[in-house]
Amino acid sequence: MSHFGEVSYVELPAVFHLSGRFAADTDPNKVNLTIGAYRTEAGKPWVLPCVRQAESILASDETINKEYLSMSGLQSLCDAAMRLVLGESSPVIQEDRAVALQTLSGTGALYICFQFIDQFYGGCKDIYVSDPSWGNHKLMIDRIPGLNFKQWYQRRVRGSIRYFADLGMEFFVCQSFAKIMGLYSERVGALHFVGATSEIAHKCLSQMKIIVRSIYSNPPSHGARIASLCLNNRDLRIEWEDCLKEMHARIRRARTYLHTALKMANVPGNWDHILSQNGMFSYTGLTKAQCEVLIEKHHIYLLKSGRISMCGVTESNAKYVAESFKDAIETAKEN
């Protein structure tokens, strides 16, 4: 007799299921457009050279030990991450109104932020999330009873974080070093809070530390030390910024490859949004039925929302992807 016999299976996130199917697929033309991780032109993961160098520095430093970090994590990372977000000469930093703690990547930062808002924010607890958005947002919000998930259409906004600071607003920033440093498995992130006063900011930080203590006590150190070195060491910082430029250029090229191939294949519809969108992902506008054809018939793995990771597109596979899009659109229409 089990106390847990009534527990039901839950559908797990599709992105991991699809990536597992891709790994097991033996088709030579298979393409993985699911997980948001950078890939080279050859379709391979890339450990940034600055990360390799930072690991070598850490490995040869006999003063580094494996003792616990504090609840707020590695201070050198928190300080450098804060300057990266708010600016080297930010008034809110100079006024000591900005605080930060290391988190388990961006997901951990969001979860601590949501928990804090649920416990201490006295106003409306509707959490507005862009549409489309990342599926994990809703998953986290729905599991905190005091919060309400809302969606809104988000227009392109840039530079808003420092604008909020200029307006004197109180706000949180959730930061991840997964995509910008390729530290996916290291789970390195930070949660920043800018308060109305220094006293308020540090009171809030103390409560966020208690939330950390109640969940995982303190964060891991290895990835944090790598990120800290890449931000604080002048030579590694320059190399990291060059790596960012290279990754950005590669993704822009991937968008051009796919857009050109879609036009050459005369795929129905307007595909200019492939070029106008930014970042690692693109929302194609493909329907669930069309995505299913791509997966089952053409071995092209993507979320059924039509979202694709542009890093999976290369110069060598763009033509195949475009022709498969065309067939999927025509096939789904017939059915």
Side-chain angles (χ1 to χ4, degrees):
M1 181 68 181
S2 172
H3 292 287
F4 306 103
E6 298 302 315
V7 174
S8 61
Y9 283 102
V10 65
E11 185 177 349
L12 299 178
V15 64
F16 298 106
H17 171 68
L18 289 168
S19 292
R21 283 190 59 183
F22 172 82
D25 194 334
T26 58
D27 189 278
N29 295 316
K30 66 179 182 178
V31 180
N32 189 355
L33 303 179
T34 55
I35 284 187
Y38 180 78
R39 295 291 183 267
T40 65
E41 187 64 48
K44 303 296 184 183
W46 187 39
V47 178
L48 275 57
C50 58
V51 168
R52 293 282 194 202
Q53 290 187 49
E55 289 183 311
S56 295
I57 292 170
L58 293 173
S60 62
D61 187 346
E62 296 185 359
T63 67
I64 293 176
N65 56 49
K66 298 298 183 181
E67 293 293 301
Y68 293 120
L69 295 179
S70 69
M71 288 176 284
S72 57
L74 189 68
Q75 195 59 48
S76 62
L77 171 66
C78 293
D79 292 343
M82 183 186 296
R83 293 192 299 271
L84 182 67
V85 169
L86 298 173
E88 293 287 341
S89 58
S90 170
V92 296
I93 295 178
Q94 295 173 2
E95 295 163 10
D96 196 31
R97 292 194 291 116
V99 293
L101 73 167
Q102 179 190 335
T103 61
L104 301 182
S105 202
T107 304
L110 282 165
Y111 191 74
I112 294 166
C113 181
F114 291 152
Q115 288 283 357
F116 181 86
I117 290 171
D118 182 47
Q119 293 179 38
F120 297 104
Y121 183 64
C124 174
K125 294 185 180 180
D126 291 345
I127 306 296
Y128 285 84
V129 178
S130 62
D131 182 13
S133 184
W134 182 44
N136 216 18
H137 286 145
K138 188 175 190 307
L139 180 62
M140 285 189 284
I141 294 167
D142 285 349
R143 287 178 174 266
I144 301 177
L147 303 183
N148 305 308
F149 179 82
K150 303 286 184 178
Q151 282 195 289
W152 64 299
Y153 176 72
Q154 182 184 28
R155 293 180 297 174
R156 186 184 302 173
V157 179
R158 293 179 177 174
S160 57
I161 293 174
R162 297 182 187 181
Y163 179 62
F164 292 158
D166 292 341
L167 292 177
M169 296 176 62
E170 290 186 310
F171 61 94
F172 295 87
V173 178
C174 299
Q175 184 179 22
S176 169
F177 289 92
K179 292 176 176 59
I180 64 173
M181 280 188 186
L183 298 175
Y184 305 101
S185 64
E186 299 291 351
R187 312 310 293 147
V188 186
L191 173 61
H192 307 270
F193 174 67
V194 174
T197 67
S198 174
E199 182 181 8
I200 290 171
H202 284 274
K203 283 181 179 179
C204 292
L205 178 62
S206 72
Q207 293 289 350
M208 288 185 276
K209 288 180 182 179
I210 294 300
I211 295 172
V212 167
R213 176 64 172 167
S214 72
I215 303 173
Y216 54 84
S217 196
N218 41 49
S221 65
H222 183 68
R225 295 187 193 282
I226 294 171
S228 177
L229 272 174
C230 289
L231 292 175
N232 290 303
N233 178 293
R234 182 178 179 276
D235 291 337
L236 293 183
R237 175 67 175 256
I238 292 171
E239 185 164 23
W240 172 61
E241 291 175 354
D242 288 341
C243 289
L244 283 177
K245 293 173 185 175
E246 182 173 342
M247 288 189 286
H248 177 264
R250 155 81 179 98
I251 293 171
R252 293 308 307 176
R253 289 197 301 273
R255 290 184 178 278
T256 300
Y257 296 152
L258 182 56
H259 182 260
T260 301
L262 289 165
K263 290 184 68 176
M264 292 293 292
N266 293 314
V267 180
N270 186 332
W271 297 94
D272 289 347
H273 57 282
I274 298 295
L275 292 178
S276 63
Q277 292 174 356
N278 287 294
M280 187 173 285
F281 299 110
S282 182
Y283 284 87
T284 60
L286 293 170
T287 66
K288 180 180 178 180
Q290 292 163 353
C291 293
E292 288 173 345
V293 173
L294 286 169
I295 296 167
E296 303 301 334
K297 181 178 179 180
H298 297 285
H299 305 268
I300 295 177
Y301 294 87
L302 73 165
L303 296 185
K304 293 182 182 179
S305 64
R307 190 204 79 173
I308 62 173
S309 173
M310 293 307 307
C311 292
V313 177
T314 65
E315 187 173 18
S316 61
N317 70 21
K319 182 174 182 289
Y320 175 71
V321 171
E323 291 174 347
S324 298
F325 275 27
K326 183 176 183 180
D327 179 71
I329 292 170
E330 295 172 347
T331 300
K333 185 186 297 184
E334 292 172 1
N335 295 337

